[in-house]
Amino acid sequence: MLQVVSPRREPAPTPELNPRRGRAESIYHALLREHGGTPGQIDELARAASRSWLADRLEAAADLESDLPDDPRALADWLEEGNRRVGAQYREYLAERQAGAPRRYFSCRSHALHFLRGVAPTKLVDGAWLYGLLGRAEDPDYAALIRIYLEELGEGSPDKNHVVLYRKLLDANGCEHFADQLRDEHYVQGALQLSLAHHAADFLPEVIGFNLGYEQLPLHLLISAYELSELGIDPYYFTLHVTVDNAATGHARKAVDGLLNALPRLADPRAFYRRVAAGYKLNGLGAGTTDVIEGFDLERELVAVLADKAAIGAALHSDYCRIGGRLVSDWLSEPGSLPAFLAALESNGWIRRGQDPQNSRFWQLIQSERAPMFGVFNRYEQQLIHDWIVAEPREQAGAGERRTPRRFRPPPAAAAPGSVSAGVPPRARSLVEVVRRETAGDADDFDGERAALRERLLAAPDRRAAMATARELMSPANHHSAVGLAATRVFSRLFDEAC
Ligand SMILES: [Fe+2]
């Protein structure tokens, strides 16, 4: 009987990519920086480092507990049971909220925005772990998994591409510059996903196991979506995942099908499944959703924002700006005194805690378009200031209690949940017709990339070669660009017709 071997270990020590960054963050950025501008290619240093790091992370995850059944034949029941349990827990949550319980996750709007920033490295490579399977598009055993990847990419539609959607969500809320807030553990999940993307040939069962864990519907997704909507933040990215991860036909089901199809017929399926289980455990590493949510402290975040502005702000305040008998420029030149500066703003009436922010002179300085400090704070930072002002002062809230802002912006109309794949098989079209249709555009400077893609695809001798060309632009670093989306549309149509 053939044996499934464990992933080969690199004999060389792990190279350091960027000593000023943490390991996961270095690998994350290196895998998104493709070699010499060649789509889909990473350099050898990044390849070696990520492979070695991935093998280390598998060892680190080996001690984690897992609820995966020992026998893959039990996965269908496990899937249904998991969904039933999450559904029941969510109903309990809703009943609690209807009975007047406070939000479980987000104490205020800036807390929710802080969460969106904290999970951004993971969400901006959503789906990446399956990229390495695209080269197997002709093998029906991998069709379910490739289908998940194509749906993560919205099949090339910018309105459905998960990374495009998350970027828009960050931009819409002033959260696009998140890097300073984050620690290495925030990059672990993203770096794992990118490492799996580029090492599928050596870690195929682990990719399949990671996918199985990632695509299950978690309770935190339902609660996050509910509370984001409540706080006036568009929950579409999250509600979309509630629908695509469903157990009946969604990614959760496809993930199980993908595993069962890939189980070896000749080699040892138990050894393969052991590696699947190891990949499943990778989901437990790094900062997860609830870790990021629990890591929020309103005042600490506000002080961090002020410290960030202080270096420039200290030099820009004139010498008649005094708070509590001290020049503002003096307050700002000593980052350690910022909590005392906030207290001085409060005791001198510049900020009236626990009241409408409009009653605070400090808020008026930053808020309206003609305000002297207009534009200094972005939308996320303004939300932090708003929430800190609205929150009860410490002595009134009581020691040890979490201070919760009392007023929030009204929630928007609930977003319609998305649906991803169309059920009707497409009519077979010629390669030329598919390429022309999906890469249409003018051959001017704005559309030059798409025109170049069209030329390359039309020069391809057959569908297989055209799919190989398109695939390079569907890497985690590229698929969300205009040309990456066009390549995804071509690949998706050709894949649909072949299935
Ligand atoms: Fe996704």
Side-chain angles (χ1 to χ4, degrees):
M1 179 180 280
L2 296 174
Q3 290 297 311
V4 175
V5 294
S6 293
R8 294 185 303 276
R9 297 297 308 272
E10 288 293 314
T14 309
E16 284 299 329
L17 290 163
N18 184 341
R20 284 178 303 172
R21 283 179 166 158
R23 193 103 197 99
E25 186 182 355
S26 295
I27 286 169
Y28 182 85
H29 290 297
L31 294 181
L32 285 176
R33 200 174 41 241
E34 295 190 341
H35 186 47
T38 309
Q41 299 294 313
I42 53 171
D43 67 35
E44 278 314 305
L45 182 63
R47 179 171 296 284
S50 54
R51 193 184 191 292
S52 168
W53 181 78
L54 178 55
D56 284 348
R57 294 301 85 205
L58 280 163
E59 274 181 22
D63 294 334
L64 298 179
E65 284 188 14
S66 169
D67 63 341
L68 204 64
D70 295 334
D71 185 340
R73 285 171 297 188
L75 280 169
D77 290 343
W78 167 82
L79 177 65
E80 273 184 34
E81 173 50 31
N83 269 266
R84 244 196 314 273
R85 187 177 59 249
V86 167
Q89 288 169 336
Y90 186 53
R91 279 195 301 280
E92 257 172 50
Y93 165 82
L94 292 175
E96 273 173 36
R97 295 300 311 280
Q98 275 152 18
R103 276 185 294 276
R104 188 179 293 182
Y105 283 175
F106 306 128
S107 58
C108 54
R109 198 167 186 275
S110 53
H111 189 175
L113 298 181
H114 177 269
F115 158 71
L116 296 184
R117 291 156 54 98
V119 296
T122 312
K123 305 300 185 190
L124 292 177
V125 295
D126 198 2
W129 60 94
L130 290 170
Y131 167 63
L133 274 71
L134 285 188
R136 303 287 156 162
E138 290 179 12
D139 188 335
D141 284 351
Y142 303 114
L145 298 169
I146 290 171
R147 173 63 55 207
I148 294 177
Y149 189 68
L150 297 178
E151 290 177 358
E152 293 287 337
L153 272 50
E155 295 174 325
S157 160
D159 297 337
K160 296 202 175 87
N161 179 293
H162 294 190
V163 173
V164 173
L165 289 173
Y166 202 79
R167 278 191 165 183
K168 284 186 181 165
L169 180 62
L170 291 175
D171 288 350
N173 290 286
C175 294
E176 62 274 35
H177 303 297
F178 52 81
D180 290 346
Q181 174 201 315
L182 307 185
R183 296 185 303 281
D184 202 48
E185 66 210 57
H186 291 97
Y187 287 91
V188 168
Q189 278 296 312
L192 283 171
Q193 294 175 11
L194 291 169
S195 299
L196 292 167
H198 289 286
H199 296 288
D202 289 334
F203 293 90
L204 178 62
E206 289 82 1
V207 168
I208 292 172
F210 180 83
N211 182 63
L212 190 60
Y214 200 92
E215 297 293 357
Q216 299 310 309
L217 178 65
L219 178 65
H220 63 68
L221 185 64
L222 295 162
I223 296 180
S224 302
Y226 186 92
E227 297 193 0
L228 287 171
S229 177
E230 210 176 352
L231 289 166
I233 299 167
D234 184 354
Y236 179 58
Y237 175 86
F238 296 87
T239 53
L240 171 70
H241 282 84
V242 173
T243 54
V244 300
D245 290 349
N246 78 77
T249 56
H251 288 186
R253 177 81 239 175
K254 286 190 179 84
V256 171
D257 291 345
L259 162 64
L260 297 176
N261 294 342
L263 279 174
R265 279 94 174 156
L266 297 175
D268 180 358
R270 281 165 305 180
F272 187 94
Y273 189 64
R274 273 197 294 279
R275 287 178 56 192
V276 167
Y280 179 85
K281 287 183 178 180
L282 290 176
N283 283 282
L285 295 179
T289 291
T290 49
D291 303 316
V292 173
I293 291 168
E294 285 164 12
F296 179 76
D297 179 283
L298 180 55
E299 189 157 312
R300 190 183 63 213
E301 295 305 322
L302 177 58
V303 167
V305 165
L306 294 178
D308 193 42
K309 308 285 174 192
I312 295 172
L316 297 181
H317 286 80
S318 58
D319 57 8
Y320 59 79
C321 304
R322 285 177 179 274
I323 305 284
R326 199 174 171 202
L327 288 171
V328 170
S329 50
D330 287 347
W331 283 114
L332 297 181
S333 358
E334 281 176 40
S337 69
L338 289 171
F341 176 51
L342 283 174
L345 285 168
E346 207 176 331
S347 58
N348 286 274
W350 285 83
I351 289 178
R352 297 186 187 284
R353 305 283 307 279
Q355 296 186 22
D356 186 326
Q358 295 303 335
N359 297 337
S360 291
R361 287 165 70 195
F362 181 74
W363 181 251
Q364 288 166 10
L365 285 178
I366 63 171
Q367 235 284 314
S368 72
E369 283 202 16
R370 288 174 171 261
M373 287 167 66
F374 175 74
V376 170
F377 298 101
N378 69 24
R379 270 165 293 171
Y380 168 64
E381 293 160 349
Q382 286 186 33
Q383 190 69 53
L384 278 171
I385 296 167
H386 172 281
D387 291 345
W388 186 78
I389 294 174
V390 168
E392 294 289 350
R394 202 184 305 269
E395 59 276 13
Q396 288 177 29
E401 270 179 46
R402 185 158 80 170
R403 285 170 291 148
T404 304
R406 297 185 304 181
R407 287 177 289 277
F408 303 95
R409 294 181 187 178
S419 72
V420 169
S421 62
V424 184
R427 170 178 73 87
R429 287 188 289 255
S430 76
L431 175 58
V432 171
E433 193 187 340
V434 168
V435 170
R436 288 220 168 108
R437 181 192 160 113
E438 303 301 344
T439 62
D442 298 324
D444 59 14
D445 284 351
F446 291 107
D447 272 341
E449 285 266 85
R450 209 153 26 165
L453 172 66
R454 181 164 58 237
E455 229 168 78
R456 287 183 60 191
L457 290 170
L458 290 175
D462 54 29
R463 282 168 181 257
R464 180 191 287 184
M467 286 171 88
T469 298
R471 184 168 89 218
E472 293 168 1
L473 286 154
M474 295 165 67
S475 66
N478 290 298
H479 70 75
H480 39 87
S481 65
V483 71
L485 291 163
T488 307
R489 290 195 295 275
V490 171
F491 188 99
S492 298
R493 295 300 87 77
L494 297 177
F495 182 71
D496 286 345
E497 290 176 8
C499 283

